[in-house]
Amino acid sequence: MTAVDRLATVSLDELNDVAQLLTRTDRKYVVPAGELDAVVTGIPGLRVLELDGRRSSRYESTYLDTIDLDSWTGAATRRRRRWKVRSRVYADTGERWLEVKTRGLRGATVKERLPHDAPDVSGHAHAWVRERLGAARVHDVDPSGLVATLHTSYRRTTLLLPGGAGRATIDRDLRWASGHGTAEVGDVLVVETKSGTPRPGPLDRRLWELGHRPVRISKYGTGLALLTPDLPGNRWHRVTSRHLAGHLTLREGALASSPAGHGGR
């Protein structure tokens, strides 16, 4: 039995009531899987989301970008008006959403979502995406021109932090796939704390005690950089070369050796 198995549980309704946090401050960490017990046992009052007896759930996301990879480039070069559009599937239940992530005041992440069964931005979702991007002052993106560029999958455990400090997610078994091939990372966790304020919470402080500091990692940015070697230098080079390199398995796809192939671009 792991330390996560011994935690008290929280329901999805209670978690969302207390800490839905669609607008939030995020911190991300890359942690060896063997340190998970030490992380969670150091925080009294920590609770874990349990759904139908499961304490982890399978997630799948498909990222949508322009043919020029404007979303990826905006994040890679830290442009002020950054954005992401993705479709997400909760694989254990079949629930499907279309999500738009933008930057709010003081760099806070703003996530908005819409129930959506299609893999692309079609029907009423087209106007919704345009409206959400426009509200974030992103006016030069035509939702009808977005194409699938990267698919990700992973298993997620969600924690409710004590004292109203927010929530956290622990992702493992990360896998990326594009027209260039696939990448997998084993024995590594991506831990993300999500708080309604910029102040660090108890999980941040516990990770700091264990010697971990926030890192720049984005499932979309990192995955596309790993699978598309001709992309320019970017802000995820440190995490891919230092934190992930020893745990990666890369497999080339049919487009990887083709100078004209750009994985869905």
Side-chain angles (χ1 to χ4, degrees), residues 83-133:
W83 57 275
K84 288 179 186 172
V85 177
R86 69 188 179 199
S87 63
R88 168 162 287 180
V89 179
Y90 296 85
D92 293 319
T93 64
E95 187 178 345
R96 295 173 178 266
W97 295 84
L98 184 65
E99 298 183 342
V100 173
K101 294 180 74 174
T102 55
R103 288 281 174 171
L105 295 175
R106 299 177 182 175
T109 299
V110 179
K111 184 173 80 171
E112 299 168 279
R113 57 185 195 160
L114 177 77
H116 188 62
D117 289 334
D120 57 359
V121 181
S122 57
H124 68 291
H126 180 281
W128 180 80
V129 170
R130 183 182 292 279
E131 179 183 277
R132 299 331 307 147
L133 292 177

Side-chain angles (χ1 to χ4, degrees), residues 18 21 24 31 87 101 147 182 188 196 214-215 235 242 245 265:
V18 175
L21 297 176
R24 68 213 186 197
V31 179
S87 63
K101 294 180 74 174
V147 295
T182 64
V188 168
V215 299
R235 62 196 302 238
R242 178 176 177 180
R265 285 197 273 171

Side-chain angles (χ1 to χ4, degrees), residues 21-230:
L21 297 176
L22 295 180
T23 300
R24 68 213 186 197
T25 298
D26 302 332
R27 292 182 178 88
K28 299 177 183 179
Y29 305 82
V30 178
V31 179
E35 294 190 29
L36 179 58
D37 280 7
V39 171
V40 301
T41 54
I43 307 173
L46 196 64
R47 298 164 70 187
V48 60
L49 174 65
E50 184 172 281
L51 295 170
D52 298 327
R54 300 186 307 271
R55 297 193 175 197
S56 65
S57 300
R58 291 183 297 128
Y59 283 54
E60 297 180 8
S61 298
T62 299
Y63 288 85
L64 306 173
D65 207 337
T66 67
I67 59 173
D68 294 321
L69 298 182
D70 290 328
S71 173
W72 184 91
T73 302
T77 57
R78 305 192 71 179
R79 292 179 186 170
R80 184 178 179 186
R81 305 298 180 196
R82 284 174 267 172
W83 57 275
K84 288 179 186 172
V85 177
R86 69 188 179 199
S87 63
R88 168 162 287 180
V89 179
Y90 296 85
D92 293 319
T93 64
E95 187 178 345
R96 295 173 178 266
W97 295 84
L98 184 65
E99 298 183 342
V100 173
K101 294 180 74 174
T102 55
R103 288 281 174 171
L105 295 175
R106 299 177 182 175
T109 299
V110 179
K111 184 173 80 171
E112 299 168 279
R113 57 185 195 160
L114 177 77
H116 188 62
D117 289 334
D120 57 359
V121 181
S122 57
H124 68 291
H126 180 281
W128 180 80
V129 170
R130 183 182 292 279
E131 179 183 277
R132 299 331 307 147
L133 292 177
R137 299 184 181 180
V138 178
H139 301 294
D140 55 349
V141 177
D142 179 4
S144 64
L146 298 179
V147 295
T149 51
L150 186 74
H151 181 79
T152 66
S153 62
Y154 49 93
R155 181 168 289 277
R156 168 166 289 183
T157 298
T158 301
L159 305 174
L160 178 64
L161 303 179
R167 65 200 290 175
T169 56
I170 301 170
D171 297 337
R172 66 175 72 216
D173 302 330
L174 272 74
R175 184 178 187 274
W176 297 271
S178 76
H180 283 278
T182 64
E184 300 175 26
V185 60
D187 299 323
V188 168
L189 309 174
V190 175
V191 179
E192 183 173 354
T193 62
K194 310 166 194 285
S195 172
T197 74
R199 295 190 301 272
L203 184 54
D204 296 294
R205 292 191 291 270
R206 177 58 177 162
L207 287 161
W208 297 351
E209 288 173 3
L210 296 171
H212 301 291
R213 292 295 182 269
V215 299
R216 291 173 178 168
I217 183 169
S218 153
K219 291 187 182 68
Y220 181 47
T222 302
L224 207 61
L226 285 169
L227 291 173
T228 319
D230 60 331

Side-chain angles (χ1 to χ4, degrees), residues 216 222 225 232-245:
R216 291 173 178 168
T222 302
N234 59 78
R235 62 196 302 238
W236 304 292
H237 176 74
R238 179 183 174 90
V239 74
T240 56
S241 61
R242 178 176 177 180
H243 295 279
L244 302 182

